[in-house]
Amino acid sequence: MIEVSAHLIGGPVYFAGDRISCRVTFSNVRQTAGCPQNYIATKKSEEVLGWASAQVVCVCTINPQKVLVMDSISNCNTSMTINSTSLSPKAGERGLVIFSTKPKILVCDLTLPDESNTDYLYQETLPSSLPPSFRGQAIKYSYKLKIGLQRVGAPVKLLNIPFRLMTWQLCGLPNCQDEQGIVVSNPFLKTSQCVNPEFDDPLETMQLLTSRRSPSVYKVTNGKGKVVNLCLFKSGYRLGEDIVGTLDFSASNVSCIQYSVSLQSQEVVPEEKRRRIGPYSKFADEIVTSYSKHHEFCIGFLQTHLSLPVPLHVTPSFDTDMVALKWRLHFEFVTAVTPLRWSGENNWEAPTSLDIETMVWDLPIVIYPTTPAHVSKALYGTCDATVVL
Protein backbone atom coordinates (compact mmCIF):
# COMPACT_ATOMS: atom_id res chain seq x y z
CA MET A 1 0.00 0.00 0.00
CA ILE A 2 1.02 3.63 -0.46
CA GLU A 3 1.52 5.88 2.55
CA VAL A 4 1.58 9.63 1.94
CA SER A 5 2.80 12.01 4.64
CA ALA A 6 3.05 15.81 4.51
CA HIS A 7 4.98 18.20 6.75
CA LEU A 8 4.78 22.01 6.85
CA ILE A 9 8.41 23.10 7.02
CA GLY A 10 7.73 26.61 8.33
CA GLY A 11 5.37 25.60 11.14
CA PRO A 12 1.58 26.07 11.56
CA VAL A 13 1.53 29.92 11.44
CA TYR A 14 2.25 32.18 8.47
CA PHE A 15 2.13 35.85 7.64
CA ALA A 16 0.36 37.24 4.58
CA GLY A 17 2.90 37.43 1.78
CA ASP A 18 5.00 34.55 3.13
CA ARG A 19 5.90 31.46 1.13
CA ILE A 20 4.47 28.22 2.45
CA SER A 21 6.61 25.11 1.97
CA CYS A 22 5.47 21.53 2.46
CA ARG A 23 7.48 18.31 2.11
CA VAL A 24 5.36 15.45 0.76
CA THR A 25 6.69 11.89 1.10
CA PHE A 26 5.31 8.94 -0.90
CA SER A 27 6.20 5.53 0.52
CA ASN A 28 5.54 1.94 -0.55
CA VAL A 29 4.97 0.03 2.69
CA ARG A 30 4.04 -3.59 3.25
CA GLN A 31 0.76 -4.35 4.97
CA THR A 32 1.32 -6.58 8.03
CA ALA A 33 -1.83 -5.75 10.01
CA GLY A 34 -3.78 -8.89 10.91
CA CYS A 35 -0.82 -11.21 10.20
CA PRO A 36 0.69 -13.57 12.81
CA GLN A 37 3.46 -12.14 14.97
CA ASN A 38 6.10 -14.36 13.38
CA TYR A 39 4.86 -13.57 9.86
CA ILE A 40 7.52 -12.29 7.46
CA ALA A 41 6.37 -10.73 4.18
CA THR A 42 8.34 -12.07 1.27
CA LYS A 43 6.26 -10.89 -1.69
CA LYS A 44 7.65 -7.79 -3.31
CA SER A 45 5.43 -5.57 -5.38
CA GLU A 46 5.41 -2.17 -7.00
CA GLU A 47 2.75 0.44 -6.34
CA VAL A 48 1.60 3.03 -8.86
CA LEU A 49 0.14 6.39 -7.87
CA GLY A 50 -1.99 7.89 -10.63
CA TRP A 51 -1.58 11.55 -9.65
CA ALA A 52 -1.16 13.92 -6.73
CA SER A 53 -1.74 17.67 -6.65
CA ALA A 54 -1.75 20.36 -3.96
CA GLN A 55 -3.27 23.79 -3.43
CA VAL A 56 -4.05 26.28 -0.64
CA VAL A 57 -7.69 27.17 0.05
CA CYS A 58 -9.50 29.63 2.32
CA VAL A 59 -12.96 28.59 3.50
CA CYS A 60 -15.52 31.07 4.80
CA THR A 61 -18.16 29.55 7.09
CA ILE A 62 -21.25 31.68 7.72
CA ASN A 63 -23.69 31.38 10.63
CA PRO A 64 -27.13 31.68 8.97
CA GLN A 65 -28.72 32.76 12.26
CA LYS A 66 -26.61 35.93 12.33
CA VAL A 67 -25.72 36.62 8.69
CA LEU A 68 -27.83 36.59 5.54
CA VAL A 69 -26.82 33.58 3.43
CA MET A 70 -27.38 33.41 -0.31
CA ASP A 71 -28.61 30.17 -1.89
CA SER A 72 -25.36 29.84 -3.81
CA ILE A 73 -23.45 29.72 -0.54
CA SER A 74 -25.66 27.28 1.36
CA ASN A 75 -25.00 24.38 -1.01
CA CYS A 76 -21.34 24.40 -1.94
CA ASN A 77 -20.26 20.94 -0.83
CA THR A 78 -18.69 18.86 -3.59
CA SER A 79 -18.01 15.12 -3.45
CA MET A 80 -15.51 13.11 -5.47
CA THR A 81 -16.07 9.71 -7.01
CA ILE A 82 -13.84 7.10 -8.56
CA ASN A 83 -14.30 8.78 -11.94
CA SER A 84 -12.85 12.07 -10.73
CA THR A 85 -9.46 12.84 -12.20
CA SER A 86 -8.81 16.28 -10.69
CA LEU A 87 -8.82 18.09 -7.36
CA SER A 88 -11.64 20.55 -6.73
CA PRO A 89 -11.05 23.25 -4.08
CA LYS A 90 -14.64 22.76 -2.86
CA ALA A 91 -14.21 19.04 -2.25
CA GLY A 92 -15.22 18.09 1.28
CA GLU A 93 -15.93 21.69 2.33
CA ARG A 94 -19.20 22.89 3.87
CA GLY A 95 -18.37 26.58 3.67
CA LEU A 96 -17.68 28.92 0.80
CA VAL A 97 -14.23 28.67 -0.78
CA ILE A 98 -13.36 32.37 -1.21
CA PHE A 99 -9.75 31.79 -2.26
CA SER A 100 -7.77 28.96 -3.79
CA THR A 101 -4.40 28.83 -5.49
CA LYS A 102 -3.94 27.07 -8.79
CA PRO A 103 -3.44 23.32 -8.25
CA LYS A 104 0.15 22.19 -8.70
CA ILE A 105 0.82 18.68 -9.93
CA LEU A 106 3.23 16.93 -7.59
CA VAL A 107 3.46 13.56 -9.34
CA CYS A 108 1.85 11.75 -12.24
CA ASP A 109 2.07 7.97 -12.82
CA LEU A 110 4.55 7.58 -9.99
CA THR A 111 5.95 4.05 -9.66
CA LEU A 112 7.16 3.13 -6.16
CA PRO A 113 9.36 0.01 -5.82
CA ASP A 114 8.91 -2.19 -2.77
CA GLU A 115 9.74 -0.41 0.55
CA SER A 116 10.86 2.78 -1.14
CA ASN A 117 9.96 6.41 -0.60
CA THR A 118 10.18 9.60 -2.62
CA ASP A 119 10.09 13.22 -1.41
CA TYR A 120 8.58 16.20 -3.22
CA LEU A 121 8.52 19.86 -2.21
CA TYR A 122 5.42 22.02 -2.62
CA GLN A 123 5.82 25.81 -2.42
CA GLU A 124 3.30 28.62 -2.78
CA THR A 125 3.41 32.36 -2.04
CA LEU A 126 0.38 33.60 -0.11
CA PRO A 127 -1.11 36.90 -1.33
CA SER A 128 -1.03 39.85 1.06
CA SER A 129 -4.70 40.75 0.45
CA LEU A 130 -6.19 37.68 2.14
CA PRO A 131 -8.34 37.86 5.31
CA PRO A 132 -6.77 36.43 8.48
CA SER A 133 -7.68 33.16 10.14
CA PHE A 134 -10.68 33.88 12.35
CA ARG A 135 -13.10 31.75 14.37
CA GLY A 136 -15.96 34.14 15.09
CA GLN A 137 -19.55 33.38 16.01
CA ALA A 138 -20.95 34.88 12.81
CA ILE A 139 -18.09 34.41 10.31
CA LYS A 140 -15.16 32.00 10.24
CA TYR A 141 -12.11 32.12 7.98
CA SER A 142 -9.99 28.95 7.90
CA TYR A 143 -6.97 27.99 5.80
CA LYS A 144 -5.67 24.60 4.82
CA LEU A 145 -3.24 22.98 2.46
CA LYS A 146 -5.22 20.45 0.48
CA ILE A 147 -3.49 17.52 -1.23
CA GLY A 148 -5.48 15.30 -3.58
CA LEU A 149 -4.31 11.73 -4.30
CA GLN A 150 -5.54 8.85 -6.44
CA ARG A 151 -4.32 5.36 -7.07
CA VAL A 152 -5.16 3.74 -10.36
CA GLY A 153 -8.65 2.27 -10.09
CA ALA A 154 -9.32 3.80 -6.66
CA PRO A 155 -11.30 6.86 -5.50
CA VAL A 156 -9.66 10.19 -4.78
CA LYS A 157 -8.47 10.80 -1.23
CA LEU A 158 -7.75 14.14 0.42
CA LEU A 159 -5.00 15.09 2.82
CA ASN A 160 -5.68 18.35 4.69
CA ILE A 161 -3.20 20.32 6.81
CA PRO A 162 -4.75 23.36 8.53
CA PHE A 163 -2.62 26.41 9.25
CA ARG A 164 -3.10 29.91 10.61
CA LEU A 165 -2.68 33.08 8.57
CA MET A 166 -2.06 36.50 10.12
CA THR A 167 -2.49 39.85 8.38
CA TRP A 168 -2.29 43.49 9.35
CA GLN A 169 -3.81 46.68 8.03
CA LEU A 170 -2.02 50.01 8.20
CA CYS A 171 -5.31 51.91 8.15
CA GLY A 172 -5.92 50.80 11.73
CA LEU A 173 -2.98 52.83 12.95
CA PRO A 174 -3.91 56.20 14.45
CA ASN A 175 -2.94 59.29 12.45
CA CYS A 176 -1.50 57.24 9.58
CA GLN A 177 -4.35 57.20 7.09
CA ASP A 178 -3.00 60.03 4.93
CA GLU A 179 0.72 59.39 5.29
CA GLN A 180 2.66 58.11 2.29
CA GLY A 181 5.61 57.11 4.43
CA ILE A 182 6.60 57.04 8.10
CA VAL A 183 9.76 58.83 9.12
CA VAL A 184 11.96 56.82 11.44
CA SER A 185 14.86 58.54 13.20
CA ASN A 186 18.10 56.59 13.35
CA PRO A 187 21.00 58.11 15.33
CA PHE A 188 23.52 56.09 13.29
CA LEU A 189 22.43 57.59 9.96
CA LYS A 190 22.91 61.12 8.67
CA THR A 191 19.35 61.28 7.35
CA SER A 192 16.11 59.78 8.55
CA GLN A 193 14.70 56.69 6.92
CA CYS A 194 11.28 56.74 5.32
CA VAL A 195 9.43 53.48 5.80
CA ASN A 196 6.91 52.84 3.06
CA PRO A 197 4.56 50.07 4.24
CA GLU A 198 3.68 49.23 0.66
CA PHE A 199 7.19 48.12 -0.27
CA ASP A 200 9.07 47.29 2.93
CA ASP A 201 8.63 44.27 5.18
CA PRO A 202 5.18 44.79 6.78
CA LEU A 203 6.04 42.86 9.94
CA GLU A 204 9.17 44.93 10.52
CA THR A 205 7.22 48.14 9.92
CA MET A 206 4.46 47.05 12.31
CA GLN A 207 6.94 46.25 15.08
CA LEU A 208 8.60 49.60 14.56
CA LEU A 209 5.32 51.48 14.82
CA THR A 210 3.93 49.65 17.86
CA SER A 211 7.19 50.03 19.80
CA ARG A 212 6.69 53.80 19.96
CA ARG A 213 5.23 55.19 23.15
CA SER A 214 2.78 58.07 22.93
CA PRO A 215 1.12 58.47 26.36
CA SER A 216 -2.53 59.51 26.37
CA VAL A 217 -4.39 60.73 29.47
CA TYR A 218 -8.16 60.21 29.70
CA LYS A 219 -10.27 62.13 32.21
CA VAL A 220 -13.02 59.74 33.30
CA THR A 221 -16.05 61.54 34.76
CA ASN A 222 -19.66 60.90 35.68
CA GLY A 223 -22.54 63.22 36.52
CA LYS A 224 -20.99 64.13 39.89
CA GLY A 225 -17.47 64.95 38.73
CA LYS A 226 -14.13 63.36 37.97
CA VAL A 227 -13.60 59.73 38.87
CA VAL A 228 -10.01 59.08 37.73
CA ASN A 229 -7.28 60.09 35.32
CA LEU A 230 -6.28 57.11 33.19
CA CYS A 231 -2.92 57.09 31.38
CA LEU A 232 -2.13 54.58 28.63
CA PHE A 233 1.29 54.64 27.01
CA LYS A 234 -0.02 53.71 23.54
CA SER A 235 -3.16 52.61 21.72
CA GLY A 236 -1.74 49.76 19.61
CA TYR A 237 -0.49 46.45 21.01
CA ARG A 238 0.94 43.26 19.53
CA LEU A 239 -0.15 39.73 20.31
CA GLY A 240 1.52 38.54 23.52
CA GLU A 241 2.16 42.09 24.73
CA ASP A 242 0.93 43.54 28.06
CA ILE A 243 -1.44 46.50 28.12
CA VAL A 244 -0.07 48.70 30.92
CA GLY A 245 -1.67 51.84 32.31
CA THR A 246 -1.84 53.99 35.44
CA LEU A 247 -4.87 55.32 37.33
CA ASP A 248 -4.62 58.54 39.35
CA PHE A 249 -7.35 59.17 41.95
CA SER A 250 -5.53 62.02 43.76
CA ALA A 251 -7.48 64.86 42.10
CA SER A 252 -10.85 63.08 41.99
CA ASN A 253 -13.98 64.41 43.68
CA VAL A 254 -15.86 61.12 43.27
CA SER A 255 -14.86 58.22 45.54
CA CYS A 256 -14.11 55.06 43.55
CA ILE A 257 -14.62 51.85 45.51
CA GLN A 258 -13.42 49.34 42.94
CA TYR A 259 -12.83 49.03 39.23
CA SER A 260 -12.38 46.32 36.64
CA VAL A 261 -11.09 46.36 33.06
CA SER A 262 -11.53 43.63 30.46
CA LEU A 263 -10.01 43.10 27.04
CA GLN A 264 -12.92 42.59 24.67
CA SER A 265 -13.33 41.88 20.97
CA GLN A 266 -16.26 43.14 18.89
CA GLU A 267 -17.36 41.09 15.90
CA VAL A 268 -19.30 43.50 13.69
CA VAL A 269 -21.22 42.40 10.60
CA PRO A 270 -22.22 45.13 8.08
CA GLU A 271 -25.80 46.23 8.59
CA GLU A 272 -26.95 45.19 5.13
CA LYS A 273 -25.68 41.63 5.73
CA ARG A 274 -27.07 41.07 9.23
CA ARG A 275 -29.93 38.69 9.88
CA ARG A 276 -33.03 40.55 11.08
CA ILE A 277 -34.52 39.14 14.27
CA GLY A 278 -37.64 39.81 16.33
CA PRO A 279 -41.13 40.94 15.37
CA TYR A 280 -39.95 44.49 14.72
CA SER A 281 -37.17 43.41 12.34
CA LYS A 282 -34.37 44.71 14.51
CA PHE A 283 -30.79 43.94 13.57
CA ALA A 284 -28.79 41.53 15.69
CA ASP A 285 -26.40 43.23 18.10
CA GLU A 286 -22.63 43.05 17.72
CA ILE A 287 -20.95 40.01 19.23
CA VAL A 288 -18.70 40.84 22.19
CA THR A 289 -16.19 38.35 23.65
CA SER A 290 -14.17 38.98 26.82
CA TYR A 291 -10.64 37.70 27.37
CA SER A 292 -8.19 38.80 30.09
CA LYS A 293 -9.52 40.84 33.04
CA HIS A 294 -8.00 43.00 35.78
CA HIS A 295 -9.95 43.74 38.99
CA GLU A 296 -8.95 45.76 42.03
CA PHE A 297 -10.44 47.37 45.15
CA CYS A 298 -9.13 50.95 45.12
CA ILE A 299 -10.93 52.65 48.01
CA GLY A 300 -8.52 55.13 49.58
CA PHE A 301 -5.95 54.76 46.78
CA LEU A 302 -4.21 57.78 45.33
CA GLN A 303 -2.61 55.90 42.46
CA THR A 304 -2.53 52.36 41.09
CA HIS A 305 -1.82 50.57 37.83
CA LEU A 306 -3.34 47.96 35.55
CA SER A 307 -1.82 45.22 33.43
CA LEU A 308 -3.68 43.10 30.89
CA PRO A 309 -1.97 40.47 28.72
CA VAL A 310 -3.00 40.15 25.08
CA PRO A 311 -3.38 36.40 24.35
CA LEU A 312 -1.36 34.93 21.50
CA HIS A 313 -4.23 32.83 20.17
CA VAL A 314 -6.63 35.69 19.39
CA THR A 315 -7.07 37.36 15.99
CA PRO A 316 -5.70 40.90 15.50
CA SER A 317 -7.88 43.77 14.30
CA PHE A 318 -9.09 43.47 10.71
CA ASP A 319 -11.87 44.62 8.41
CA THR A 320 -13.37 42.80 5.41
CA ASP A 321 -16.57 43.05 3.39
CA MET A 322 -18.20 40.36 5.54
CA VAL A 323 -17.04 41.18 9.07
CA ALA A 324 -14.88 43.56 11.07
CA LEU A 325 -13.06 42.65 14.28
CA LYS A 326 -12.49 45.52 16.69
CA TRP A 327 -10.89 45.60 20.13
CA ARG A 328 -11.60 47.69 23.21
CA LEU A 329 -10.91 48.02 26.92
CA HIS A 330 -14.16 47.70 28.87
CA PHE A 331 -14.03 49.59 32.18
CA GLU A 332 -16.49 49.29 35.07
CA PHE A 333 -16.16 51.75 37.96
CA VAL A 334 -18.07 51.31 41.21
CA THR A 335 -18.34 54.70 42.88
CA ALA A 336 -19.89 56.03 46.11
CA VAL A 337 -23.02 58.16 45.81
CA THR A 338 -21.60 60.55 48.42
CA PRO A 339 -17.84 61.23 48.70
CA LEU A 340 -15.93 59.45 51.47
CA ARG A 341 -14.02 61.94 53.60
CA TRP A 342 -10.98 61.35 55.81
CA SER A 343 -9.09 64.14 57.52
CA GLY A 344 -6.01 62.04 58.15
CA GLU A 345 -5.93 62.70 61.91
CA ASN A 346 -7.43 59.38 63.03
CA ASN A 347 -7.47 55.86 61.69
CA TRP A 348 -10.07 55.58 58.98
CA GLU A 349 -12.74 52.92 59.28
CA ALA A 350 -14.80 51.69 56.37
CA PRO A 351 -18.54 52.32 56.62
CA THR A 352 -20.79 49.37 57.41
CA SER A 353 -23.11 50.27 54.51
CA LEU A 354 -22.52 52.31 51.42
CA ASP A 355 -24.70 53.60 48.60
CA ILE A 356 -22.97 52.89 45.30
CA GLU A 357 -23.50 53.26 41.58
CA THR A 358 -21.75 51.74 38.58
CA MET A 359 -20.53 53.42 35.42
CA VAL A 360 -19.29 51.72 32.25
CA TRP A 361 -16.77 53.09 29.75
CA ASP A 362 -15.27 51.57 26.60
CA LEU A 363 -11.91 52.63 25.16
CA PRO A 364 -11.12 51.45 21.59
CA ILE A 365 -7.63 50.03 20.95
CA VAL A 366 -5.94 48.21 18.07
CA ILE A 367 -4.39 44.74 18.26
CA TYR A 368 -1.62 43.85 15.78
CA PRO A 369 0.01 40.52 14.92
CA THR A 370 3.49 39.47 15.96
CA THR A 371 6.07 37.09 14.52
CA PRO A 372 4.66 33.70 13.40
CA ALA A 373 7.34 31.84 15.39
CA HIS A 374 6.14 33.54 18.57
CA VAL A 375 2.49 32.61 17.94
CA SER A 376 3.40 29.01 17.06
CA LYS A 377 4.60 28.43 20.62
CA ALA A 378 1.10 29.08 21.96
CA LEU A 379 -0.70 26.82 19.48
CA TYR A 380 -1.18 23.09 19.76
CA GLY A 381 -1.74 22.57 16.04
CA THR A 382 0.18 19.95 14.12
CA CYS A 383 2.30 20.46 11.03
CA ASP A 384 1.98 16.85 9.85
CA ALA A 385 -0.69 14.69 8.24
CA THR A 386 -0.69 11.14 6.88
CA VAL A 387 -3.03 9.10 4.68
CA VAL A 388 -2.83 5.52 3.40
CA LEU A 389 -4.02 4.62 -0.10
Side-chain angles (χ1 to χ4, degrees):
M1 56 184 177
I2 301 177
E3 181 182 85
V4 183
S5 59
H7 172 72
L8 290 177
I9 299 176
V13 184
Y14 294 87
F15 205 76
D18 284 350
R19 171 174 289 188
I20 183 172
S21 300
C22 180
R23 183 176 63 251
V24 184
T25 303
F26 303 92
S27 304
N28 183 355
V29 296
R30 296 186 183 183
Q31 183 176 3
T32 58
C35 298
Q37 191 172 8
N38 58 354
Y39 171 81
I40 300 177
T42 58
K43 184 179 180 180
K44 296 183 179 181
S45 61
E46 292 183 345
E47 295 285 355
V48 179
L49 182 64
W51 60 269
S53 65
Q55 64 181 148
V56 175
V57 298
C58 175
V59 180
C60 176
T61 306
I62 300 175
N63 185 349
Q65 297 180 353
K66 299 182 181 297
V67 183
L68 294 175
V69 182
M70 297 182 297
D71 295 336
S72 58
I73 298 179
S74 58
N75 295 320
C76 58
N77 189 17
T78 303
S79 59
M80 283 189 164
T81 63
I82 189 172
N83 297 323
S84 300
T85 58
S86 62
L87 173 62
S88 170
K90 298 181 181 179
E93 305 296 345
R94 294 184 177 180
L96 174 66
V97 177
I98 60 174
F99 168 79
S100 62
T101 60
K102 293 183 179 180
K104 290 186 178 180
I105 301 297
L106 300 179
V107 297
C108 185
D109 291 333
L110 175 65
T111 300
L112 294 171
D114 185 57
E115 295 185 350
S116 64
N117 59 74
T118 305
D119 291 341
Y120 289 86
L121 182 64
Y122 169 80
Q123 290 184 323
E124 186 68 63
T125 300
L126 303 173
S128 57
S129 59
L130 295 175
S133 298
F134 177 59
R135 295 183 61 85
Q137 299 183 34
I139 302 290
K140 294 182 180 180
Y141 294 114
S142 59
Y143 288 86
K144 62 181 67 175
L145 172 60
K146 180 176 294 187
I147 302 176
L149 311 146
Q150 186 178 31
R151 291 180 59 178
V152 177
V156 175
K157 285 193 176 183
L158 296 177
L159 185 63
N160 296 322
I161 308 179
F163 64 91
R164 179 179 177 183
L165 183 70
M166 297 190 301
T167 64
W168 77 296
Q169 298 175 353
L170 183 64
C171 59
L173 286 168
N175 303 324
C176 291
Q177 290 87 345
D178 299 328
E179 297 184 7
Q180 297 297 327
I182 301 166
V183 177
V184 182
S185 298
N186 190 331
F188 302 101
L189 298 177
K190 294 182 180 181
T191 58
S192 299
Q193 290 180 320
C194 183
V195 179
N196 192 331
E198 201 171 347
F199 301 101
D200 291 282
D201 183 9
L203 184 58
E204 182 179 350
T205 305
M206 179 270 303
Q207 291 176 337
L208 190 63
L209 292 171
T210 55
S211 62
R212 293 181 177 181
R213 287 197 173 189
S214 179
S216 300
V217 179
Y218 303 90
K219 183 180 179 181
V220 183
T221 61
N222 61 9
K224 297 181 176 60
K226 185 169 68 173
V227 178
V228 65
N229 282 334
L230 170 67
C231 177
L232 290 180
F233 300 106
K234 54 184 180 178
S235 59
Y237 303 88
R238 297 193 301 269
L239 296 179
E241 193 175 3
D242 289 337
I243 302 174
V244 180
T246 61
L247 297 95
D248 185 2
F249 300 96
S250 60
S252 302
N253 49 13
V254 177
S255 300
C256 185
I257 308 302
Q258 65 178 4
Y259 76 93
S260 65
V261 54
S262 302
L263 177 63
Q264 294 183 341
S265 66
Q266 301 169 265
E267 185 181 352
V268 183
V269 178
E271 189 171 307
E272 65 275 7
K273 297 180 181 179
R274 297 179 191 173
R275 170 72 65 183
R276 295 178 182 268
I277 59 175
Y280 301 101
S281 298
K282 293 183 178 180
F283 287 110
D285 295 334
E286 62 186 19
I287 303 171
V288 177
T289 305
S290 298
Y291 294 91
S292 52
K293 183 177 182 179
H294 177 88
H295 176 271
E296 187 177 21
F297 286 93
C298 57
I299 183 171
F301 284 17
L302 295 179
Q303 289 182 342
T304 186
H305 73 280
L306 63 90
S307 179
L308 279 177
V310 180
L312 283 169
H313 67 274
V314 300
T315 302
S317 306
F318 74 94
D319 189 359
T320 65
D321 295 337
M322 294 294 297
V323 64
L325 184 66
K326 302 178 181 179
W327 290 89
R328 70 185 184 187
L329 295 178
H330 179 74
F331 288 88
E332 294 183 7
F333 295 96
V334 178
T335 59
V337 175
T338 57
L340 302 178
R341 304 297 182 185
W342 177 48
S343 61
E345 298 177 357
N346 302 318
N347 293 331
W348 182 80
E349 294 183 1
T352 56
S353 61
L354 189 64
D355 294 330
I356 60 173
E357 56 186 5
T358 303
M359 66 169 293
V360 176
W361 177 54
D362 293 323
L363 177 63
I365 61 172
V366 183
I367 302 297
Y368 299 101
T370 185
T371 57
H374 193 189
V375 179
S376 299
K377 297 179 180 179
L379 299 181
Y380 298 98
T382 179
C383 303
D384 303 275
T386 303
V387 67
V388 176
L389 305 179

